[in-house]
Amino acid sequence: MTTASGNEGVQLKYNFASDNYAGICNEAWRSMEAANRGLASSYGDDLWTAKACERVRELFEIDCEVFFVFNGTAANSLALASLCQSYHSIVCHEMAHVETDECGASEFFSNGTKVLLVPGANGKVSLDAVEHTISRRSDIHYPKPKALSVTQATELGTVYSVAEMQAVGELAKRHSLHVHMDGARFANAVASLNVEPKEITWQAGVDVLTFGGTKNGFAVGEAVVFFNKELAFEFDYRCKQAGQLASKMRFLTAPWIGMLESGAWLTNAAHANNCARLLESEVKKLAGVRVMFETQANSVFLEMAPAALEALRGLGWHFYTFIGSGGARFMCSWDTKIDDIAELVRDIRIALAG
Ligand SMILES: *Cc1c(COP(=O)(O)O)cnc(C)c1O
């Protein structure tokens, strides 16, 4: 994929910049087409939406409350707001998207609930740090911890194992915390672990999941899945007030039917993961570049000398270095081509040679 460049004839290559640079996959597109044949009731009161909710319930093998919003920031912040009062606090990893990339939306939509940050290796919360943060104070002057938010797959392309998620859930239960999962890349985590979705969600104590669609081949949209149905009380009003109630809801929901019925939600994610692993294994053959985190989902973080990164940019590659620990992030998607990986690896080799 290339784009017009103001950069002296260098073709800009965005293939690995982010998984949301990819387009809409066939399964999602065909579902939208099918939903476009005629009229349907608005604001989610339509058959597509009812069926999409049913498919999500089947996927998780439990009766849950399902809502659909336009993006992940809304899904995360509205979900978290429904877990807390304004005098509570939300504990999350210091690199969590809800902290670093949502412009304070969680605090805003919860009317000021404080976000408390904890460290942890590989983008996962350290349970000791969580324990410390929530138990160091219990007096009335401290914002009362009420929710624990984890990202699965993490911002650093790692994945909480089933056992790790169970430990998160147990700790939360011990301290009466609700558990939120930012699953912008939930499908990548499921594909990576090769487990049933329930094993890393409600069976491990997750109360509410932000289930990402956009980065996995949808045009737009994320599902908010409440396994703890009581917490979904009046969530529809939250969505409406936040400008997240689509009037033509069927175009957000019909793709979930096609994606879940065809299995594309999982095959797309598995493809992206496999591409990332291929990239990792190819790069590991090169000297002068270090893979920073184990590649468990669809991103590869590389550490290279600044001059090599510059050289790679000079060859037209567009990538981000502000995510994670300053390394360069290469993100694979459902639409990543094997040839693109070969081309990137070739250019990394050239960049390293100076
Ligand atoms: C992309 C992403 C989101 C959602 O971002 P939006 O741009 O608001 O859709 C949420 N969490 C993580 C970890 C993400 O990578």
Side-chain angles (χ1 to χ4, degrees), residues 308-340:
L309 290 178
E310 254 338 283
L312 195 55
R313 287 207 172 89
L315 291 167
W317 292 97
H318 185 72
F319 52 88
Y320 293 108
T321 49
F322 66 85
I323 301 149
S325 310
R329 187 190 72 171
F330 296 89
M331 203 86 222
C332 298
S333 75
W334 67 270
D335 198 26
T336 298
K337 308 288 192 291
I338 301 299
D339 287 351
D340 294 343

Side-chain angles (χ1 to χ4, degrees), residues 20 71-74 76 97 102 151 153 155 182 184-185 215 222:
N20 60 14
N71 60 32
T73 299
N76 283 339
H97 198 273
E102 300 188 355
T151 310
E155 285 76 5
D182 175 354
R185 300 190 180 93
K215 286 172 177 151
E222 322 278 291

Side-chain angles (χ1 to χ4, degrees), residues 74-116:
N76 283 339
S77 56
L78 295 173
L80 284 166
S82 68
L83 307 184
C84 300
Q85 296 290 333
S86 56
Y87 50 83
H88 286 141
S89 53
I90 298 159
V91 180
C92 70
H93 193 276
E94 57 197 5
M95 284 175 195
H97 198 273
V98 296
E99 162 67 12
T100 62
D101 289 288
E102 300 188 355
C103 207
S106 290
E107 291 91 334
F108 178 76
F109 283 113
S110 60
N111 293 313
T113 304
K114 192 168 170 59
V115 175
L116 301 177

Side-chain angles (χ1 to χ4, degrees), residues 276-341:
R277 270 194 288 272
L278 175 61
L279 175 59
E280 178 193 44
S281 69
E282 288 299 309
V283 162
K284 275 185 167 168
K285 297 174 188 164
L286 308 177
V289 53
R290 186 176 74 86
V291 178
M292 299 172 70
F293 311 102
E294 195 183 340
T295 300
Q296 296 179 320
N298 58 327
S299 58
V300 182
F301 284 79
L302 300 180
E303 190 176 72
M304 287 183 260
L309 290 178
E310 254 338 283
L312 195 55
R313 287 207 172 89
L315 291 167
W317 292 97
H318 185 72
F319 52 88
Y320 293 108
T321 49
F322 66 85
I323 301 149
S325 310
R329 187 190 72 171
F330 296 89
M331 203 86 222
C332 298
S333 75
W334 67 270
D335 198 26
T336 298
K337 308 288 192 291
I338 301 299
D339 287 351
D340 294 343
I341 297 172

